[in-house]
Amino acid sequence: MKQWQAVLRVIKVDLSYFFRTKWLIVTLVTLNLSDMLVVGAVYTNMMNFDYFVFYVPGVIIAAMFAAALDVGRRVHLGLSEGVTQYYLSLPISLESLALAHILSAGLGGLIYSGILLVVALAIVPKLISFSTLIMIPFMFLVSMGLGGIAAIINLFSGGGDRFWAFAEGIQMIFLGMSTVFYPISVIQSFFPGYLMSIILLNPLSQITNALRSAISPVPAITLFSLGQIAVTSFLMLAMGFLCYRYVFIKVKNQGKI
């Protein structure tokens, strides 16, 4: 079996697990849409700007983050249930297996957020633009980077249920210290100035702000901003790749994490 064929098979299995519970996916999409329509509409009446239009891209990116982390959750279950050990008995290299899980996170996040994006285009027609189209491959890249975060969690959580606590904590930190749900002008009143750079470098902030530029009166997508997204995502992706590789080496040698 060629390595690229093995990678495709692992990706197929990862995505089949992700989309196997179709009713759960429908429920999650419905909950995200209710967030868009209910929370966005209510908060708009409390703000001095159109919070609904601001909020919709944030919901899409938050959902993408959750979907990318879910692949890491599947890897954790695979480590606990012997699926990863089975993979390691097949003619697939450690590097190919690590890459397969990173790509699965990218595709899972892109597909799930893509479903919400299609609905959002009908709700917020302003999103229908060339800028939004440009953001699709970058959403895939960021989603792979976020999948790298799941790999880091798998490395430090080890076996047992600590993965769930770590994942919840990381998700709260990344979402809370970002511009996903609040504009930077509001965040500045709650966080000290030295944290502003970290918040703006947060990949969730970067991709959300870029997606919002499609509905901004003055488009803000530049080669520099796209380059920032690419560099940040690649660094997380590379770290995730190395973490997965280390975990798989440990499992191959010891039979468990």
Side-chain angles (χ1 to χ4, degrees):
M1 182 189 299
K2 295 180 179 179
Q3 289 300 305
W4 67 268
Q5 292 176 319
V7 168
L8 290 178
R9 289 192 179 187
V10 173
I11 292 174
K12 182 179 178 180
V13 172
D14 283 347
L15 293 181
S16 68
Y17 275 117
F18 183 75
F19 292 102
R20 180 172 295 176
T21 50
K22 295 181 177 60
W23 286 111
L24 176 60
I25 296 297
V26 171
T27 301
L28 292 175
V29 170
T30 302
L31 288 174
N32 288 135
L33 291 177
S34 68
D35 278 344
M36 286 185 189
L37 298 173
V38 178
V39 177
V42 170
Y43 274 51
T44 291
N45 295 325
M46 301 168 60
M47 303 283 186
N48 57 3
F49 66 100
D50 192 345
Y51 183 77
F52 176 74
V53 173
F54 177 88
Y55 185 63
V56 168
V59 174
I60 294 171
I61 299 306
M64 182 188 74
F65 185 25
L69 283 182
D70 190 73
V71 173
R73 180 175 69 87
R74 298 291 182 184
V75 175
H76 175 75
L77 290 174
L79 290 165
S80 305
E81 298 172 358
V83 176
T84 300
Q85 289 82 341
Y86 168 72
Y87 280 148
L88 294 174
S89 69
L90 300 176
I92 181 172
S93 68
L94 299 174
E95 292 77 13
S96 295
L97 185 57
L99 178 61
H101 289 313
I102 295 291
L103 288 171
S104 296
L107 289 171
L110 179 62
I111 293 171
Y112 186 72
S113 60
I115 295 171
L116 292 175
L117 179 59
V118 169
V119 179
L121 293 177
I123 299 174
V124 184
K126 292 179 181 179
L127 276 172
I128 304 175
S129 69
F130 182 66
S131 296
T132 301
L133 185 63
I134 291 175
M135 293 317 302
I136 292 176
F138 284 91
M139 289 169 66
F140 172 63
L141 185 60
V142 171
S143 193
M144 281 197 295
L146 296 173
I149 293 175
I152 297 171
I153 298 173
N154 270 301
L155 173 61
F156 288 100
S157 63
D161 297 329
R162 286 180 295 177
F163 177 87
W164 317 108
F166 280 31
E168 287 294 327
I170 291 295
Q171 202 164 358
M172 289 179 61
I173 292 171
F174 267 75
L175 289 173
M177 297 187 65
S178 74
T179 58
V180 168
F181 300 128
Y182 305 102
I184 191 65
S185 57
V186 173
I187 296 174
Q188 285 174 336
S189 61
F190 291 94
F191 290 100
Y194 64 86
L195 287 178
M196 289 303 101
S197 296
I198 296 175
I199 291 172
L200 291 174
L201 287 174
N202 184 333
L204 297 180
S205 296
Q206 292 177 341
I207 192 68
T208 305
N209 292 339
L211 189 57
R212 285 187 181 125
S213 69
I215 52 181
S216 173
V218 181
I221 291 183
T222 63
L223 289 177
F224 179 75
S225 62
L226 294 179
Q228 277 189 317
I229 294 172
V231 170
T232 305
S233 300
F234 180 76
L235 289 175
M236 291 193 304
L237 185 160
M239 289 177 62
F241 175 84
L242 293 175
C243 287
Y244 270 142
R245 187 177 183 279
Y246 178 82
V247 168
F248 297 152
I249 289 175
K250 193 172 181 181
V251 172
K252 189 170 185 176
N253 293 334
Q254 301 178 10
K256 62 180 181 178
I257 301 179

